[in-house]
Amino acid sequence: MNSKWFAYGMTHEQADLNLLLFPFAGGCPSVFVQWKRLLCPKANVYPVLYPFREARRSEQLPDTVQQLAQSLAAENEAVFSGKYAIFAHCAGASVAYETILAAKQLYGTEPEWLIVSGAEPPEYSLESLRYLADASPAEFLNYLISGGFAEESVRDNPAFLSYYLPIISADFRMLFSYRMTAAPPLHCPIFRFRGDTDKVIDPARLDAWQHYTEGTCTEQVFSGGHYYFTADPAPVCSSINRILEQGGEANG
């Protein structure tokens, strides 16, 4: 599909579902670049490209998550008016949730299933981090390093400081103002994915995802930390393929 909202994707003639991949705060769709060769052809693969990065570097982020989600849904009727599913990591899950609500309002559709990865429910989105809303770049960088979002070495990395740090800062500032939209539960199954050594999220909060759907809500734990899939996406893609093969049924 020719849309500014997607990059590094792939479509298949035999696909009967559009699979959208929402990156984490500060993330780019290039994090999913290997997925199109690992996912089965039952789905068209659409990694989401937010404004203010990569090919959309000259575009500013909207002020709110809801505005971002509304634009994404409204400008991609062909993706959202048919069968679609979502994988969303970390803060990307809040963007995905608001996009689902926008698509439901616009087209009357819901996803076939939703995978929330390394993500607390939207009601908790960055709750403990809002004190950073007015942080200086140095203070924000200290948080990213101490919280495990970035390596210590980025302090001496000009490319990170000049290109990626402003993207991360912009994303977090938009997310700091986020308050979830109240809505009835969805009907699709929700799959919770997480790394077994993830120190960013509170596992005790993850059961609350069940309140977001009248369908099933199951968990799968992978080896690794918060970004468990970045070094080797094969295990998570294998799990997604099983979901695709089973038509969205829980795969245990």
Side-chain angles (χ1 to χ4, degrees), residues 201-241:
I201 58 173
D202 180 356
R205 291 177 165 179
L206 302 185
D207 284 343
W209 275 110
Q210 180 64 75
H211 304 314
Y212 288 77
T213 184
E214 295 179 349
T216 58
C217 185
T218 57
E219 181 175 79
Q220 184 171 354
V221 180
F222 296 83
S223 176
H226 187 59
Y227 301 105
Y228 64 92
F229 61 84
T230 54
D232 180 12
V236 70
C237 287
S238 178
S239 291
I240 294 173
N241 284 338

Side-chain angles (χ1 to χ4, degrees), residues 52-142:
F52 198 52
R53 70 214 66 208
E54 295 190 351
R56 303 184 67 186
R57 179 61 168 162
S58 62
E59 299 180 45
Q60 294 300 306
L61 273 175
D63 292 332
T64 69
V65 172
Q66 283 86 348
Q67 289 172 343
L68 178 66
Q70 185 71 27
S71 296
L72 171 56
E75 294 176 26
N76 293 284
E77 179 178 359
V79 172
F80 291 101
S81 62
K83 292 175 62 177
Y84 75 96
I86 286 175
F87 172 96
H89 187 70
C90 194
S94 293
V95 180
Y97 176 70
E98 296 295 337
T99 303
I100 291 168
L101 298 184
K104 185 175 181 179
Q105 182 181 47
L106 288 167
Y107 313 117
T109 58
E110 287 190 12
E112 299 296 302
W113 41 265
L114 167 64
I115 298 174
V116 290
S117 168
E120 297 178 358
E123 64 200 89
Y124 299 116
S125 183
L126 299 185
E127 179 182 70
S128 63
L129 304 181
R130 291 190 176 122
Y131 71 95
L132 286 168
D134 298 317
S136 68
E139 290 170 333
F140 193 72
L141 181 60
N142 287 337

